[in-house]
Each structure stands twice: as C-alpha cells, then as structure tokens.
Amino acid sequence: MAYVAVKGGERAIDAAHAWLATVRRGDPAVTEIDTAQIREQLGRAVDRVMAEGSLYDPDLAALAIKQAQGDLIEAAFLLRAYRTTLPRLAHSLPLDTAAMAIHRRISAVFKDLPGGQVLGPTYDYTHRLLDFALQDAAPITAAPAEGAAATEPMQRVNDFLRDEGLIEPDGADTGTPGDLTREPLRFPAGRDVRLQALARGDEGFLLAMGYSTQRGYGGSHPFAGEIRMGTVSVIIEPAELGFPIDIGDLVLTECQMVNQFKGSKTVPPQFTRGYGLTFGHGERKAMAMALVDRAMRAEELGEDVTAPAQNVEFVVYHSDNIEGTGFVEHLKLPHYVDFQSELETIRRMRAEAQHAEAGA
Amino acid sequence: MAVLARASLADLTERLASSPALPDHVVLRGPEEGLVMVRGRIGGGGGGFNLGEMTVTRCTVRTRGGQVGHATIAGRNGACALLAARIDAALQDAGFHDILLAAVIAPLALRQEAARTQQAARAAATKVDFFTLQTMRA
C-alpha cells in the first residue's frame, strides 16, 4: 500500500517550527552568527554543501548552513531545492584544470616535479591537537607571501608518464555529456554520468567506498598521482553573443589517482587512472571520488566485478545523500494504514497457524 | 568581460566615480538570476561531464546610441550585472571606449592581477625544498 496523506496537526507543526527557530538561535546572550562569518570562517563546510548540493554559490551555502543549524546534509538539501527555482541559462565550456591558478599541488609519485610540491593551506602535518588559543579572538597573522610566484601553468603529473606511453591517455570527446538532473539514470551508466553522480555524492559514502577498495574489496593499488586545488575560470558561450566569455572563477579540487594495471589481451601493461573533481577545497572527497571512479571501471578494463565499489548501480544509486535521506527519513512520516494492514495480516496468519495446530 | 565579471560592486562604483557618466540606457533583459551547468573533463583532458551548477546573473541593456551591452557574471548580484552590461555597451561606443578602458578596466585588471600574484606568492611560499642526501647516491 502506498503512503496515505494525513491532515491535521497544523498548530503542533507551527509550534514545533517556532521552537526550532528558538533553538537555532541558541542562547540570546551569545552573539548571533552572520552568514558572512560562516562563508569566511567555516569554508570547508561551505565547500561540502556546495559540492553535495551541486550548486556553486558560497553565500547561499553559508545561509543554508545557518538555517540548517550546521546539519550539512539538510543544508545541501536546501541548495538542491533552491536550484530548482532557477532557469538554466547555459552550460560552460569544459573547464581547463591544467590552467588552474594553483593554491596547492602535490604528487605522491614524483618528488622533484616541475613546479614543485606546493603545500598550500593544508591540515597535513598539523598535530591534531586542539588549539585552545582559538577560543580567544587572535590578532590576524599574515601568511608569508615571499615565494617567487610561478607564472607558467603547472604541467600535470600524468603528462610526464604519458610522454613515455606508460599511462592510459584521456579518452576522446564523446559529445554532449549525459545529465542525471535532466534524464533518468540508465544502466550501464557512462563514465560521464558516473562522474556527475560522484561529484554530487556524499563525501562519507564515497570515503567508505574508496576505503573499501584499499582494504581489498576491489583493490587497484592506487597512488595519488596528483592533487591540485585552486581557482579555475568558467567560460560560457552565450547564444546571443556567439563568442566565449569568462564569467568568473571557481575554487576546485582535482585528484588524479594512478593505478596499477597488468594489461589485457589488447592493452599492454600500463598505469590506469581514476579521476576526482569537486567544488571547493575538498581533498578527501576528490581522492575518494577518484578511487571509486577507478573501481567502477573494472568491467571496462576486463577486471572481475566482485566488490561493492565496482558495482556501478550500487554506487550510483546510493551515493546521493539527498535521495538517501529522503527515503530513510520518510519512514518517520505516518504509515498508520500500512501498518494496520500488516497487523491484520500477522494476526490472521497466527490464527490460521493455531487453527491448523489444533486440528492436527 | 573577464575583468568586469571579477569586479565587486564597490570596485565598479569606485572606478566609475572617476570617469564620465555612462550613457543613458534601457534594460532589454534582467538583471536575472539563473544557473550555468559547469562541465569538467573526464580525466582532466577527455570528454566532458556535468560537474554541477553555479549561480549567475545576466543583464542586457541598450544605450541611446544603439549599442547593446551584455553581461553574465558568476554569483547573484543584479547591480553588478547591470553596471557590467552598461559598461559593455559603452565600451562599444568610440567616444567612451578609450576613456573607460583607462579609467575602469585597466585599473581593475591591475588590481585583480595583483591579487592573483599575491595568492601565487603565498602558494610559492609553501613550496617544499627537499634535502636529498647526495652522499648516499655515490
């Protein structure tokens, strides 16, 4: 039986929402948080909400975080709902992440690579000790900026291996990519649609899936070939102009995983790759995405599909936390009629069983 | 357009204060908020895929001289998009082109370039210098 709508409870709902607003505000003696403060000082949360809400707008993400009391899935939900109110005016030309203005760029496979290892604003190498000094307003310390800035775009790590033919090339352009916000999912899903699903997928889910591949469930021996984070300009070609224009910058994180591959009947042994790209500074997400992207290519590369992360349908159907939260949380809505019918069925079955037993 | 797209409202009004008034205009469209689907490339250089959407604001104006100015800029800022479209229209007017280029575009480009250079210098300051034990290699 389907879900049956119920009426009533308006007064209770209004009162519940009024209390929610009070709880959201917290102790009135404490200064109210400003959305600009969230945008500037809780940047990683803003980035995650933009990625999983699949909408790049730091101001809206900050507002959503405030409204959702820091519940990031609820905040992503708010962004997804907001995006449905806006018309899509254009799509961008494919981003050129090779031309990224680098804030961070590291490689775990080559130590001395052209452009060098640039750490950027990272939590790596911190001791993970609580810094009690942050409890008090601290004077602003300026980050050192005395380094000689690189003027050339940083070459990708893949390119060094590609010159020797030891790594698979980027695939050819396959025309207009699929869009799962416009067309229903169909399997087998192409890599374009899979990457779209991963880019808006839940970081926790992707982390667990990526981690499972490292622990032996569809392992593919990954190396972090390159991780880069920085700003990339977005170019669109409006129909009314007929030429491309630059509409601004996005902060993005990109991960190129390099994986062992022993070759197949048609392909010599070489490195294969998994790819991760996400809005904002989201290194964990980009890395996990790249691991799962590679795992989902098992069939294409002639590997056995045995593990959850290699199962495209399983991953793509369960990566979206808005869909997941909708279906899990709908269980708390009234199911009175459904349950009544189940109750009737169980009673009848028991009565029949007792009757049969008495008769035997 | 790249410079105007990256300028804040404060930037634009500040620069326009020191240039002659922009030509009168009628708004043909907007400013209206919408989305651009941002596309990435599979593997960084392969076929396209839809990464996610971003908010944009677009605006189109026509000046009394008949020039049509158009702006699409990242984010939600109608006032910025309107000014950018008016400047875009005025830049097509020979009487305004050089003045606006010198008074608005060039200084903003310079400021944006300085910000980029500072960011790049910050990144460069975090570049690792490895100490290799050269005696071990002999």
Side-chain angles (χ1 to χ4, degrees), chain A residues 56-57 82-83 240 249, chain B residues 6 29 33 35 43 53 55:
Chain A
Y56 196 101
D57 188 313
Y82 184 80
R83 80 161 270 287
E240 59 271 33
D249 290 321
Chain B
R6 286 171 178 76
R29 179 175 65 184
E33 213 181 296
L35 301 170
E53 287 163 313
T55 53

Side-chain angles (χ1 to χ4, degrees), chain A residues 160-180:
Chain A
F160 310 136
L161 288 166
R162 192 161 49 214
D163 292 346
E164 281 187 77
L166 297 178
I167 195 163
E168 61 171 352
D170 286 318
D173 201 332
T174 46
T176 307
D179 184 354
L180 54 79

Side-chain angles (χ1 to χ4, degrees), chain A residues 39 41 91 236 238 293 317:
Chain A
R39 188 191 64 221
Q41 296 172 38
H91 58 78
I236 65 168
D293 171 49
Y317 270 139

Side-chain angles (χ1 to χ4, degrees), chain A residues 54-57 59-60 82-83 86-92 94-95 102-103 111 115 117-120 143-145 147-149 156 170-173 177-179 191-192 195-196 199 233 236 240-241 246-249 256 273 275 277 279, chain B residues 1-2 5-6 29 32-58 60 70-76 88 116-128 130 132 137:
Chain A
S54 200
L55 181 64
Y56 196 101
D57 188 313
D59 294 310
L60 287 178
Y82 184 80
R83 80 161 270 287
L86 295 177
R88 187 185 291 176
L89 306 180
H91 58 78
S92 80
L95 298 167
I102 297 285
H103 297 176
K111 178 166 64 77
Q117 309 267 358
V118 177
L119 300 181
R156 291 174 192 284
D170 286 318
D173 201 332
D179 184 354
R191 198 172 170 202
D192 52 346
L195 284 171
Q196 183 182 13
S233 59
I236 65 168
E240 59 271 33
L241 290 181
D246 184 336
I247 60 168
D249 290 321
Q256 300 271 1
R273 292 152 52 198
Y275 185 67
L277 183 66
F279 284 156
Chain B
M1 218 57 237
R6 286 171 178 76
R29 179 175 65 184
E32 60 182 346
E33 213 181 296
L35 301 170
V36 164
M37 174 53 94
V38 180
R39 288 187 176 158
R41 286 183 180 281
I42 296 173
F49 73 95
N50 290 306
L51 174 66
E53 287 163 313
M54 64 187 288
T55 53
V56 295
T57 310
R58 74 176 175 187
T60 306
H70 178 81
T72 304
I73 58 175
R76 294 162 304 115
D88 183 51
R116 271 193 288 268
T117 307
Q118 197 202 15
Q119 199 75 286
R122 273 191 182 147
T126 69
K127 192 155 137 183
V128 180
F130 282 105
T132 45
R137 286 181 171 173

Side-chain angles (χ1 to χ4, degrees), chain B residues 83-102:
Chain B
L83 276 182
R86 292 184 64 191
I87 294 169
D88 183 51
L91 280 169
Q92 298 166 52
D93 187 325
F96 277 93
H97 182 269
D98 292 353
I99 303 167
L100 280 179
L101 219 53

